[in-house]
Amino acid sequence: MKPLVVRVALSAAVATLLCILALPMVSLLVRLSPGELLHQLTQPVVLTALGLSLETSIATTVLVILLGLPVAYLLATKEFTGKRVLQTLVEIPIVLPPTVAGVGLLLAFGRAGLAGGALKALGIELPFTTLAVVVAQVFVATPFFISAATAGLAGIERRYTEAAATLGATPGYGFFRVLLPLALPSVLAGSAMAWARALGEFGATITFAGNIQNRTQTTPLAVYNLLEATPDVAIALSLVLLTVAIVVLVSLRDHWFGGIRDARR
């Protein structure tokens, strides 16, 4: 092919992709004036949805760190039978359709689910509750934290922990005082990505927790509800989520994508 044809083809491909990716975001940004945006964000339904999203996403992030950090440490530092299976299990929610995740959660933790009887005996009913929102968010957000944390922990030279052990440090002391501080940037990056993913979760939440105002209606679900009746309110909420996504990605891009590459080596 002639160089001119190649350049034209490349330019057309880049321009088309930029339109597909950028035009929807630009359309959101120019739809409302700053005054209109502030007005819409003060609507009670908006404040309620934002408050619930903030509450559940923070709770989710805490749970993801507490449950995911031991798994990340295991994947980063140990070789054991079934490691590949565990890695695959951790990564599946990234590619699993969110509605399928919601159906799976319902069949696992619903009244007639595999664990439904045990939960009922303990007096716990998950579906269509705020706790169900957190469970759905944990399911979809955990892989983002574990991938980044695993890469950060795996990238630390073993000589540091070996030196600590030589000096008499217990494994727990070596982890919390040596390994974790060195991997902290990746752990924080994974936490931020998990929080952003939890904040934007829709499919698994609406399937497993429903769309109940003041109880399970998080910001993405409120956008879905409001889009037809009050589109300006839905656009204002969408801008909040878009802003969060941009800030997180721009701030943590090297940590996140670098972590993905390292974790897959």
Side-chain angles (χ1 to χ4, degrees):
M1 295 180 67
K2 295 181 179 181
L4 179 60
V5 175
V6 173
R7 287 198 296 270
V8 170
L10 287 173
S11 299
V14 171
T16 302
L17 186 59
L18 284 176
C19 283
I20 293 173
L21 295 178
L23 199 57
M25 290 182 278
V26 173
S27 299
L28 283 172
L29 292 169
V30 302
R31 175 62 183 266
L32 299 177
S33 68
E36 290 173 321
L37 176 62
L38 289 175
H39 172 69
Q40 300 300 345
L41 290 178
T42 59
Q43 300 296 320
V45 65
V46 171
L47 296 176
T48 299
L50 286 174
L52 183 62
S53 287
L54 191 61
E55 175 187 335
T56 56
S57 62
I58 290 175
T60 293
T61 304
V62 171
L63 279 174
V64 165
I65 294 171
L66 292 176
L67 300 176
L69 196 55
V71 176
Y73 172 77
L74 193 65
L75 292 175
T77 62
K78 307 294 181 182
E79 292 296 331
F80 54 91
T81 303
K83 182 175 180 177
R84 289 289 185 185
V85 174
L86 179 58
Q87 286 176 322
T88 302
L89 189 62
V90 165
E91 293 170 354
I92 281 177
I94 295 178
V95 296
L96 189 69
T99 49
V100 175
V103 172
L105 289 168
L106 201 57
L107 293 176
F109 303 114
R111 291 180 180 178
L114 293 178
L119 291 174
K120 186 176 181 180
L122 295 172
I124 300 173
E125 187 172 324
L126 278 181
F128 310 108
T129 65
T130 304
L131 184 56
V133 176
V134 175
V135 172
Q137 290 177 353
V138 168
F139 183 89
V140 299
T142 297
F144 293 85
F145 172 78
I146 291 180
S147 292
T150 299
L153 291 168
I156 298 171
E157 295 183 25
R158 297 280 75 82
R159 61 189 176 91
Y160 293 112
T161 52
E162 291 170 358
T166 301
L167 294 173
T170 63
Y173 184 92
F175 175 77
F176 285 107
R177 297 302 296 272
V178 179
L179 201 58
L180 186 58
L182 292 172
L184 194 58
S186 294
V187 171
L188 293 177
S191 302
M193 289 297 297
W195 172 73
R197 180 63 186 88
L199 193 68
E201 163 51 30
F202 176 84
T205 302
I206 197 170
T207 307
F208 182 51
N211 190 1
I212 307 167
Q213 192 172 357
N214 298 321
R215 186 191 298 178
T216 67
Q217 189 180 88
T218 55
T219 303
L221 274 63
V223 170
Y224 178 78
N225 255 25
L226 297 168
L227 188 57
E228 186 174 347
T230 51
D232 285 350
V233 182
I235 291 168
L237 278 172
S238 299
L239 280 170
V240 172
L241 295 176
L242 175 61
T243 301
V244 170
I246 291 173
V247 170
V248 170
L249 282 176
V250 170
S251 302
L252 304 174
R253 185 181 185 280
D254 290 339
H255 287 296
W256 171 242
F257 291 105
I260 287 289
R261 288 193 297 268
D262 293 340
R264 294 185 181 277
R265 286 178 181 173

